[in-house]
Amino acid sequence: MNAPALSLSRRLRKSPFEARSHTGAKATSVYNHVVLPTAYVSLEDDYWHLREHVQIWDVACQVQVEVKGRDALKLVEFLTPRDLSAMLPGQCVYAPLLDERAGIVNDPIILCLAPDHFWLSISDSDVLLWVKGLALGAGFDVTVSDPDVFPLSLQGPKSEALLDRLIGEPVGDIRFFRFIETQIAGIPLIVARTGWSGQGGFELYLNEPSEGERLWDTIAAAGADLNLRPGCPNLIDRIETGLLSHGNDMTLYNNPIEAGLDRFFKLGKSADYLGREALEKIAQDGPAQRMVRVVVPGAPVANPRETYSMIVAESGTPGCMTSIAYSPRLHCNVGLGYVPSGNTRVGTAIEVAVAGTKRQGQIASQDWTTELEG
Amino acid sequence: MNAPALSLSRRLRKSPFEARSHTGAKATSVYNHVVLPTAYVSLEDDYWHLREHVQIWDVACQVQVEVKGRDALKLVEFLTPRDLSAMLPGQCVYAPLLDERAGIVNDPIILCLAPDHFWLSISDSDVLLWVKGLALGAGFDVTVSDPDVFPLSLQGPKSEALLDRLIGEPVGDIRFFRFIETQIAGIPLIVARTGWSGQGGFELYLNEPSEGERLWDTIAAAGADLNLRPGCPNLIDRIETGLLSHGNDMTLYNNPIEAGLDRFFKLGKSADYLGREALEKIAQDGPAQRMVRVVVPGAPVANPRETYSMIVAESGTPGCMTSIAYSPRLHCNVGLGYVPSGNTRVGTAIEVAVAGTKRQGQIASQDWTTELEG
């Protein structure tokens, strides 16, 4: 079957890089009302290239929600169980945003630009409306807006060498999850050592859309001998890295403890936040299910349109697979999914229902080994 | 250039009709995180068919936001300047939702299921987060949720005849913007005389996703001799009808007065609502610009990726074209856009900048005539 073409209109916000990034894209999706390329040469070829070289990604879809004003810190604290009280300008923090039941609304990187000025660099849900609604309802003294800021990402092991050339000074001093204000070819940018791959890299925040194509071209020219090419968040790499995708691996109906995001915060921060009561109850009772990594040997399994049903063999209890891809490096399928709590031991056999057939697999460690734990 | 394929994953919510509706779709978009077909045979062929026969549309993307509880009416009233105090169960109302600056957040059809139970059948923004945020922030006593309800639309002049057969009794008694609870082939449905075309029709709200394909097949079989075929909201038809698309013809940065939506409400309703002060100020001062219909003779103009710049010839003042399509019936391009207030007289000459060329046109009446008004 021929895949249908994507209709473009003003309803899908225009990326300032799309005249470059859409060329050669084999597949795309829509993310925060912006087109996101999802494959160029092929998922596997893109994966190997990302591991070895450097890629330029149009991630204009990582929309910024700006919170500014007297109550900015108070409001941003109210959105998440992560303690932001010691956050400094130039710092980035990964922070799940919760609703009143401790459901995950979104999982942005929060950038602190000044003590009363934050950007939430969001995943795929309209956080602008969420934050505005809360702020207006509760009377926080802030301005919440969506500035014309469009991220471009450089990912892969050669990204640091490339940025050194572009900025004209070593970027090695930028620590992980920190950002600097700098410029490339005279274009002012915020450059953060962050990004949605396991291969290391940077995200460049552009606030002058008219400079998008010149920025892209400048980077492409400087990276030619590093084998730079256009890329995009890669399904295989992100599963191997254990990066969760909001909407795929967690939704408003998952809590951060079952999703394993509780490693990013401690319960009991002093500032008030939405969902505290629900979250503390889940922590006390223990979550009903937990996110695990799973390997499934054999032929490639397609990523699910919904979830795949997943049974834990030793207990017969049901769970689900939320993401899966064939890893050409590990020579098996690597997946993420939920199993009932108490069934998370590495090596545990599972059975996944895929397209009418049953596939056997095992719960894996953080580095995808499956030797049975004691 | 080959248009890239759309990547499907769980992040794009599955329509219960997609096994049927995606077959034969030439183009699609993503709307509220759901795939929306945008063309089948061709825009023009779909248009003529819609005017003459009956089409079945997968509009699962018209997501419902459910508001239920003691403060449900108070909260829904708080969202819009439209007076809902006299709304009865079985009634539908088109109501722009405003933010504090009177910007348009969304423009749903609101369905009253009971005095304390409403559905907002939304356009393309996450109203669930907006309404939840406001309700939590301000302490409204309601439950806000996104039920598993998926609309299917029957549009076109033969839609009433088709529904008579399916329901087994005449549907002529359903008034415009009213709904009934009924069933087709034993599948319980809400059937409303609403829909996003100018040709008349119905929207069927299904809350049992597992019955989606059986419902589609039942309708397809019953409609075979009426020349039923799959369709979708049609760009030409919706512009000719003057239906505004949120994200295209109006955004959070437009107010309902300049967009011409003030014909759906009166200022000064008694219930409290967000944006009242800003809206009353705009009404008093007069809006800076107004939505108009425009015709552009000659060769087809492609619908804009962003807006097209549009100059009013007699004053030289700038406006913009937000949507345009070639009408094979009117033998010219029909468009929607904004011009400065005081420049809206039918017959006024305008100039549109399209792909580096200037195209001449005129402001048109509601029925697309352009004879200069006195």
Side-chain angles (χ1 to χ4, degrees), chain B residues 211-226:
Chain B
E211 294 281 29
E213 293 171 26
R214 191 166 73 87
L215 177 62
W216 181 287
D217 294 342
T218 302
I219 295 170
D225 69 322
L226 298 173

Side-chain angles (χ1 to χ4, degrees), chain B residues 28-92:
Chain B
T28 63
S29 186
V30 173
Y31 194 100
N32 281 323
H33 312 270
V34 182
V35 175
L36 170 67
T38 55
Y40 281 88
V41 178
S42 75
L43 204 56
E44 281 199 22
D45 196 282
D46 291 357
Y47 164 82
W48 285 118
H49 181 272
L50 173 62
R51 290 185 66 88
E52 290 164 15
H53 304 288
V54 53
Q55 294 184 348
I56 181 170
W57 296 0
D58 176 357
V59 286
C61 66
Q62 287 173 211
V63 170
Q64 308 311 299
V65 176
E66 179 169 279
V67 181
K68 216 172 164 177
R70 195 170 63 85
D71 289 339
L73 177 62
K74 192 174 154 198
L75 174 54
V76 180
E77 285 265 51
F78 188 66
L79 300 172
T80 176
R82 181 145 191 178
D83 188 345
L84 307 176
S85 60
M87 203 176 174
L88 296 170
Q91 204 174 349
C92 309

Side-chain angles (χ1 to χ4, degrees), chain B residues 180-201:
Chain B
I180 59 166
E181 295 188 43
T182 182
Q183 52 180 42
I184 291 174
I187 304 166
L189 293 168
I190 280 178
V191 174
R193 192 186 284 266
T194 54
W196 224 59
S197 87
Q199 309 311 318

Side-chain angles (χ1 to χ4, degrees), chain B residues 143-187:
Chain B
T143 306
V144 184
S145 62
D146 50 348
D148 275 337
V149 171
F150 301 90
L152 192 63
S153 193
L154 300 178
Q155 298 289 310
K158 299 180 186 168
S159 56
E160 187 170 326
L162 174 57
L163 258 185
D164 282 348
R165 293 180 188 182
L166 288 162
I167 297 179
E169 53 181 326
V171 294
D173 291 344
I174 308 178
R175 287 160 55 195
F176 190 55
F177 268 59
R178 297 283 172 137
F179 68 82
I180 59 166
E181 295 188 43
T182 182
Q183 52 180 42
I184 291 174
I187 304 166

Side-chain angles (χ1 to χ4, degrees), chain B residues 253-302:
Chain B
Y253 303 99
N254 292 116
N255 66 68
I257 296 178
E258 70 188 20
L261 301 182
D262 49 339
R263 67 184 185 277
F264 293 105
F265 59 83
K266 289 188 190 120
L267 287 175
K269 78 171 187 178
S270 56
D272 192 23
Y273 69 93
L274 194 62
R276 180 198 292 269
E277 201 179 333
L279 189 66
E280 288 179 351
K281 181 154 174 37
I282 294 163
Q284 192 171 8
D285 298 349
Q289 58 179 3
R290 284 191 185 274
M291 171 64 62
V292 289
R293 299 187 183 199
V294 174
V295 297
V296 177
V301 174

